[in-house]
Amino acid sequence: MISVLLAVLLLVPLIQTDSNQKYLDYLSTSLVDHNGVQMGIKWSQIDGKKSWSQVGIIELHGNNQFFLDTDHQSIKIDNGLIITYYKSDNGKIIYDTMIEGNYNIFDFLSGDFSGFTITNSTANRETIQLDYYIDAFNIYGKIWIKQKLFEPIKFTFGNNPQRSEHYIEVEITSYYPISKESLFESFNPKAEEIIDLRE
């Protein structure tokens, strides 16, 4: 009897999971379990004391289809194919493919949080803040999500311990279902210069 009890006690730590993981699971569900979501964003690149910001729209269509639209460019990602349209005077289109083994903003928005370790969490009535670390890429950041709805409010991405003042911050200013024709579906740019980087 004692040996059975000891075996059970030894197994308990192995089957317990991080209580914060559920928040990542809820966030992942909110990012992929829908028929299309459009988010207003403020995208900032922080470089020490300098920062550059722009506003735009991101559409999520499941976990493999995204659309980013800003004043300067539009990016459509459709199952690994990337079409970037630069809104210059004559326009330029670049075709490319996603690189396997990298982790980027669109992987984050696809709800892929595999490899994330939550190092700290705090909460109040309205928000939950999760501090995370991705060992495979040696980067860390923070995620803010709404209580109960578990929709993203803001996240930072790309912090490196050796360059802690260099990162990207994305603030979600609106989050709602797509009710009309999506930017993803209507995207059909014309440009004088077309570059194909696909192999």
Side-chain angles (χ1 to χ4, degrees):
M1 184 69 176
I2 294 175
S3 61
V4 172
L5 181 59
L6 183 60
V8 169
L9 289 173
L10 289 173
L11 284 174
V12 167
L14 296 177
I15 58 176
Q16 287 178 338
T17 58
D18 180 359
S19 61
N20 292 312
Q21 182 62 40
K22 66 183 178 184
Y23 296 123
L24 288 181
D25 294 341
Y26 295 150
L27 175 59
S28 180
T29 299
S30 78
L31 291 170
V32 299
D33 190 16
H34 52 69
N35 293 320
V37 167
Q38 189 175 91
M39 300 185 299
I41 63 159
K42 179 182 177 185
W43 180 301
S44 302
Q45 185 158 347
I46 314 299
D47 185 4
K49 294 181 179 178
K50 300 176 184 177
S51 67
W52 298 267
S53 298
Q54 58 182 328
V55 296
I57 294 171
I58 290 181
E59 287 186 352
L60 309 180
H61 298 266
N63 60 0
N64 294 308
Q65 296 179 318
F66 311 96
F67 192 86
L68 168 66
D69 188 58
T70 70
D71 289 341
H72 305 292
Q73 64 182 358
S74 296
I75 301 173
K76 179 178 182 177
I77 298 179
D78 190 358
N79 294 302
L81 172 64
I82 305 170
I83 306 169
T84 304
Y85 171 57
Y86 292 96
K87 302 175 181 180
S88 60
D89 292 338
N90 299 320
K92 178 167 69 174
I93 296 173
I94 298 177
Y95 292 92
D96 204 349
T97 52
M98 299 286 279
I99 299 172
E100 289 188 24
N102 283 353
Y103 192 91
N104 59 44
I105 294 290
F106 295 107
D107 292 309
F108 186 99
L109 292 172
S110 75
D112 178 8
F113 301 117
S114 57
F116 275 56
T117 299
I118 302 301
T119 58
N120 188 43
S121 65
T122 55
N124 59 37
R125 286 186 172 192
E126 297 180 358
T127 63
I128 300 165
Q129 178 188 314
L130 303 173
D131 299 357
Y132 69 86
Y133 178 70
I134 309 176
D135 183 61
F137 302 102
N138 193 29
I139 59 175
Y140 61 93
K142 299 179 185 293
I143 306 168
W144 290 263
I145 57 179
K146 289 183 181 177
Q147 285 276 19
K148 298 181 181 179
L149 296 175
F150 303 107
E151 295 172 355
I153 298 172
K154 183 170 70 172
F155 60 90
T156 64
F157 183 84
N159 306 66
N160 181 293
Q162 283 73 45
R163 303 179 68 222
S164 61
E165 295 183 351
H166 303 261
Y167 59 93
I168 292 170
E169 179 180 278
V170 179
E171 181 181 350
I172 314 300
T173 57
S174 62
Y175 187 96
Y176 47 86
I178 296 172
S179 57
K180 299 178 181 178
E181 183 180 25
S182 71
L183 297 173
F184 182 92
E185 295 295 338
S186 62
F187 182 64
N188 187 26
K190 300 291 187 288
E192 291 188 6
E193 183 180 3
I194 298 176
I195 300 171
D196 195 335
L197 300 177
R198 293 172 290 183
E199 294 182 355

